[in-house]
């Protein structure tokens, strides 16, 4: 592969985060995480811009494209949600831009974390604790093509971690228990099956259970 341009050079970066004008909540969260963690790694705040009036893909573009941007379409970076699921993602370097795409609930955010892992050796351990094990200054854009389809569709915390905060859940790439498992008032979310079964038995579908 051709050597990529510098992502960070002498304490500066020519790169910008690119997003669509029809930005979704998931894309906004992914951009926020990218800005914060990129700054943590390099001391540089990346500018996020929305540009939809792009009609050609050029090799000298310096973008980190998040989500369903026009540039991703022009660069032919496709994403098949049926193949990769809600938490899957695709990361692909094309020329001197990199594209992160997902059709899922948190897959786009997880794609951002994986890009930071590939680029800076990012690793998250606990609330407020993470590291970067690769060079974060004078480094070229990483050249990758990653299609990730998690084997476990709903990666969730155990009941021991039922009350983890949003930061911990997202950066560990798991769902909080309340997001992944049904819960009922006054009943623990990991031992509530009989509560739901009893409600159904009392209803019109008691024949569902022999």
């Amino acid at each position: 592969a051709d050597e990529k341009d510098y992502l960070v050079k002498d304490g500066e970066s020519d790169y910008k985060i690119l997003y669509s004008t029809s930005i979704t909540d998931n894309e906004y969260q992914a951009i926020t995480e990218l800005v914060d963690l990129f700054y943590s790694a390099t001391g540089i705040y990346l500018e996020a811009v929305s540009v939809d009036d792009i009609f050609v893909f050029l090799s000298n573009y310096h973008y980190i494209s998040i989500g369903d941007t026009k540039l991703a379409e022009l660069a032919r970076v496709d994403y098949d949600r049926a193949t990769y699921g809600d938490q899957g993602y695709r990361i692909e370097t094309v020329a001197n831009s990199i594209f992160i795409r997902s059709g899922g609930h948190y897959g786009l955010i997880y794609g951002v974390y994986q890009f930071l892992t590939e680029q800076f050796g990012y690793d998250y351990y606990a609330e407020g604790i993470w590291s970067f094990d690769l060079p974060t200054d004078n480094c070229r854009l990483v050249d990758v093509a990653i299609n990730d389809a998690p084997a476990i569709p709903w990666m969730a915390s155990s009941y021991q971690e039922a009350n983890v905060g949003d930061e911990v859940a997202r950066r560990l790439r798991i769902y909080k228990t309340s997001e992944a498992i049904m819960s009922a008032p006054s009943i623990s979310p990991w031992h509530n099956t009989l509560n739901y079964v009893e409600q159904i038995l009392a209803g019109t579908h008691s024949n569902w259970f022999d």
Side-chain angles (χ1 to χ4, degrees):
D2 295 334
E3 192 172 48
K4 301 304 176 187
D5 288 349
Y6 278 95
L7 174 65
V8 177
K9 180 72 171 177
D10 298 330
E12 298 182 352
S13 179
D14 292 333
Y15 279 77
K16 295 181 180 180
I17 301 170
L18 183 67
Y19 63 92
S20 171
T21 53
S22 55
I23 188 172
T24 66
D25 289 343
N26 292 339
E27 289 168 345
Y28 178 80
Q29 291 180 27
I31 291 167
T32 299
E33 286 289 81
L34 178 55
V35 169
D36 289 347
L37 290 170
F38 195 95
Y39 177 80
S40 177
T42 66
I44 299 170
Y45 275 117
L46 291 180
E47 181 183 1
V49 298
S50 175
V51 183
D52 278 348
D53 56 344
I54 297 178
F55 304 100
V56 63
F57 175 75
L58 300 178
S59 62
N60 62 352
Y61 283 156
H62 289 153
Y63 286 119
I64 302 172
S65 173
I66 303 293
D68 298 330
T69 65
K70 180 65 174 179
L71 197 66
E73 178 184 336
L74 293 171
R76 298 183 179 179
V77 179
D78 299 321
Y79 181 83
D80 181 7
R81 183 170 183 169
T83 300
Y84 301 111
D86 285 345
Q87 296 191 58
Y89 51 81
R90 180 175 183 182
I91 308 173
E92 184 175 350
T93 308
V94 182
N96 287 293
S97 292
I98 194 162
F99 299 85
I100 305 171
R101 298 198 66 184
S102 175
H105 192 44
Y106 289 116
L108 196 63
I109 301 173
Y110 299 161
V112 164
Y113 298 149
Q114 190 61 38
F115 160 64
L116 292 166
T117 298
E118 301 291 332
Q119 183 70 58
F120 297 127
Y122 164 74
D123 204 355
Y124 183 83
Y125 305 103
E127 186 172 5
I129 303 175
W130 58 88
S131 68
F132 303 99
D133 298 328
L134 297 176
T136 59
D137 58 350
N138 297 327
C139 55
R140 297 181 184 274
L141 180 68
V142 67
D143 191 2
V144 295
I146 299 172
N147 292 314
D148 183 78
I152 301 174
W154 282 75
M155 297 177 288
S157 60
S158 72
Y159 71 90
Q160 298 281 358
E161 303 294 338
N163 297 316
V164 298
D166 288 343
E167 177 198 300
V168 175
R170 293 296 79 78
R171 295 187 184 182
L172 287 178
R173 309 187 198 187
I174 58 175
Y175 284 83
K176 294 187 291 185
T177 302
S178 59
E179 295 175 307
I181 302 175
M182 293 187 299
S183 60
S186 303
I187 297 178
S188 60
W190 46 90
H191 290 303
N192 62 359
T193 304
L194 290 179
N195 176 264
Y196 290 102
V197 171
E198 289 170 358
Q199 289 185 33
I200 295 173
L201 286 173
T204 59
H205 299 290
S206 58
N207 60 324
W208 287 3
F209 299 90
D210 293 333

